[in-house]
Amino acid sequence: AVEAMVAKAVDHFGHIDILVNSAGNYKETPFPESSVADWDAVMDTNLRAAFVCARTVTPHLLKREEGLIVNIADLSAFGPCWP
């Protein structure tokens, strides 16, 4: 899916100038009640997706010898997400 997204962007715009990784996900479940599936869902969105997108656009940025990758994190990454 990411490869198709990047290919569509290159087809439309001619090249990639910037990637902004801004997706985020967390479960509002207290840690003692969290499951491995909850953890996997959060990590897939917050880490794996950013990695896959960056890895996919990097060859396009290197080819042009310019471009930016911006990763955005939410403040909830720095503290508990439950009362």
Side-chain angles (χ1 to χ4, degrees), residues 6 16 53-66 69:
V6 171
I16 302 285
C53 289
R55 186 190 66 192
T56 304
V57 303
T58 295
H60 298 276
L61 302 178
L62 291 173
K63 181 178 177 181
R64 295 186 67 230
E65 297 183 359
E66 64 181 341
I69 297 175

Side-chain angles (χ1 to χ4, degrees), residues 39-82:
W39 175 261
D40 289 343
V42 170
M43 293 298 106
D44 281 349
T45 301
N46 296 356
L47 296 177
R48 187 176 191 277
F51 167 78
V52 171
C53 289
R55 186 190 66 192
T56 304
V57 303
T58 295
H60 298 276
L61 302 178
L62 291 173
K63 181 178 177 181
R64 295 186 67 230
E65 297 183 359
E66 64 181 341
L68 297 171
I69 297 175
V70 178
N71 296 306
I72 298 174
D74 189 284
L75 288 177
S76 65
F78 301 105
C81 298
W82 64 88

Side-chain angles (χ1 to χ4, degrees), residues 25-35 38-39 42 74-83:
N25 179 25
Y26 76 96
K27 300 286 183 174
E28 293 187 39
T29 306
F31 181 74
E33 299 168 22
S34 295
S35 68
D38 291 339
W39 175 261
V42 170
D74 189 284
L75 288 177
S76 65
F78 301 105
C81 298
W82 64 88

